[in-house]
Coordinates of all heavy atoms in Angstrom, one line a residue:
I1279 N -27.7 -4.8 99.6 CA -26.9 -6.0 99.9 C -27.5 -6.8 101.1 O -27.3 -8.0 101.2 CB -25.4 -5.5 100.3 CG1 -24.7 -4.9 99.1 CG2 -24.6 -6.6 100.9 CD1 -23.4 -4.3 99.4
I1289 N -33.7 -26.6 96.9 CA -33.2 -27.5 95.9 C -33.5 -28.9 96.3 O -32.7 -29.5 97.1 CB -31.7 -27.3 95.7 CG1 -31.3 -25.8 95.4 CG2 -31.2 -28.2 94.5 CD1 -29.9 -25.5 95.3
G1290 N -34.6 -29.4 95.9 CA -35.0 -30.8 96.3 C -35.3 -30.8 97.8 O -36.2 -30.0 98.3
F1317 N -19.9 -3.8 92.0 CA -20.6 -4.0 90.8 C -21.5 -2.7 90.5 O -21.9 -2.5 89.4 CB -21.5 -5.2 90.8 CG -20.7 -6.5 90.6 CD1 -20.4 -7.3 91.7 CD2 -20.3 -6.9 89.3 CE1 -19.6 -8.4 91.5 CE2 -19.5 -8.0 89.2 CZ -19.2 -8.8 90.3
T1338 N -20.3 25.2 80.1 CA -19.9 25.7 81.5 C -18.4 25.7 81.7 O -17.9 26.4 82.5 CB -20.6 24.9 82.5 OG1 -20.4 23.5 82.3 CG2 -22.1 25.1 82.6
S1348 N -8.7 28.3 86.8 CA -7.7 27.8 85.9 C -8.0 26.3 85.5 O -8.8 25.7 86.1 CB -6.3 27.8 86.6 OG -6.3 26.9 87.7
E1387 N -16.3 -10.8 118.5 CA -15.2 -10.3 119.3 C -14.6 -9.1 118.5 O -14.5 -9.1 117.3 CB -14.1 -11.4 119.4 CG -14.6 -12.6 120.3 CD -15.4 -13.6 119.6 OE1 -15.7 -13.4 118.4 OE2 -15.9 -14.5 120.2
I1391 N -14.0 -8.6 114.5 CA -14.8 -7.6 113.7 C -14.0 -6.7 112.9 O -14.3 -6.4 111.7 CB -15.7 -6.7 114.7 CG1 -16.8 -7.6 115.4 CG2 -16.3 -5.6 114.0 CD1 -17.6 -6.9 116.4
D1394 N -9.3 -7.8 108.7 CA -9.5 -7.8 107.2 C -10.1 -6.5 106.7 O -10.8 -6.5 105.6 CB -10.5 -9.0 106.8 CG -9.8 -10.3 106.8 OD1 -8.6 -10.3 107.2 OD2 -10.4 -11.3 106.5
L1405 N -12.4 2.1 93.5 CA -13.4 3.2 93.0 C -12.6 4.4 92.5 O -12.9 5.0 91.5 CB -14.3 3.6 94.1 CG -15.3 2.5 94.6 CD1 -16.3 3.2 95.6 CD2 -16.1 1.9 93.5

Side-chain angles (χ1 to χ4, degrees):
I1279 292 176
I1289 307 172
F1317 285 102
T1338 49
S1348 68
E1387 293 81 0
I1391 291 175
D1394 284 2
L1405 293 187

